[in-house]
Amino acid sequence: MTDILQLGNPLLRQPTRKVINFADSTLQDTIDAALSELVRVGGVGIAAPQVGGRDRWCVIASHPTPRYPDAPYMSPLVLINPNIVRRSKARDRSWEGCLSVPGVRGLVSRATTVTVNYQTRDGQVRSLNCEDFVARIVQHECDHLDGVVFLDRVESSSDLMSEAEYRRQVLRIPADLPV
Ligand code: ZN
């Protein structure tokens, strides 16, 4: 089990550095630990700073959620040195949460489609076009790599909600049912 750093930890605010040495065992071990933790908690994404990593990588792992019942299932995908090279002008406001900001949800405006260039764990160059929920995850995780959390993107504090109210008002499910 890996500790996920919580809001207020200065490491969450530190921009990451580009990965050069893909054979670095500390890097690969940290990614493995983050993957395990992401699966354990059923999250849809995690970024290096959340597990104390200083390098530029994140994981996206879309699966359907009560808020996004049509979201695609995908095996966790590790993005090394991700760089969003295209964002649609079209934007969408939706609720986000974060493993580093427990108990709080916020309405965040994001581009609806993005193209992200990245490298695989062995350094191969790839490009991924994503839309909707997956595009939202990519933007959220890439923000982490620049020291930005979703709270920074919320336009008004009235767009914040406790997890319990989010479940009641947005998901319309009792607070004690697992999501
Ligand atoms: Zn997050």
Side-chain angles (χ1 to χ4, degrees):
M1 196 172 137
T2 300
D3 281 341
I4 294 181
L5 304 189
Q6 303 290 290
L7 185 68
N9 190 308
L11 288 179
L12 284 174
R13 296 306 199 169
Q14 232 162 41
T16 47
R17 60 197 173 198
K18 187 174 180 187
V19 173
I20 306 287
N21 179 12
F22 288 78
D24 178 1
S25 59
T26 303
L27 166 74
Q28 298 288 352
D29 290 349
T30 309
I31 293 172
D32 282 335
L35 277 167
S36 302
E37 186 65 10
L38 187 65
V39 169
R40 193 182 73 79
V41 300
V44 296
I46 196 165
Q50 294 181 277
V51 291
R54 305 287 302 275
D55 299 310
R56 189 170 180 85
W57 59 265
C58 63
V59 183
I60 58 174
S62 167
H63 54 75
T65 69
R67 179 67 179 157
Y68 296 94
D70 300 324
Y73 280 102
M74 56 187 285
S75 302
L77 178 66
V78 178
L79 311 180
I80 312 268
N81 298 327
N83 184 24
I84 296 174
V85 293
R86 191 185 61 82
R87 297 172 195 261
S88 63
K89 284 205 179 73
R91 297 178 75 84
D92 172 47
R93 261 161 60 94
S94 193
W95 294 94
E96 291 187 15
C98 180
L99 297 173
S100 295
V101 190
V104 179
R105 298 276 171 163
L107 263 183
V108 183
S109 171
R110 303 274 190 194
T112 54
T113 64
V114 299
T115 302
V116 59
N117 292 348
Y118 67 97
Q119 287 170 274
T120 61
R121 292 182 72 168
D122 55 2
Q124 296 179 49
V125 176
R126 295 272 192 276
S127 185
L128 181 70
N129 295 312
C130 7
E131 58 181 19
D132 301 329
F133 186 46
V134 181
R136 180 168 292 277
I137 300 170
V138 166
Q139 291 169 86
H140 177 117
E141 302 309 331
C142 284
D143 269 355
H144 274 302
L145 303 180
D146 297 326
V148 173
V149 298
F150 80 94
L151 298 174
D152 305 335
R153 303 274 188 207
V154 172
E155 287 162 18
S156 159
S157 54
S158 60
D159 290 337
L160 294 172
M161 217 185 253
S162 74
E163 184 73 30
E165 283 298 321
Y166 170 77
R167 284 165 175 255
R168 196 171 67 81
Q169 294 183 36
V170 180
L171 302 182
R172 299 185 181 282
I173 57 174
D176 55 351
L177 276 183
V179 171

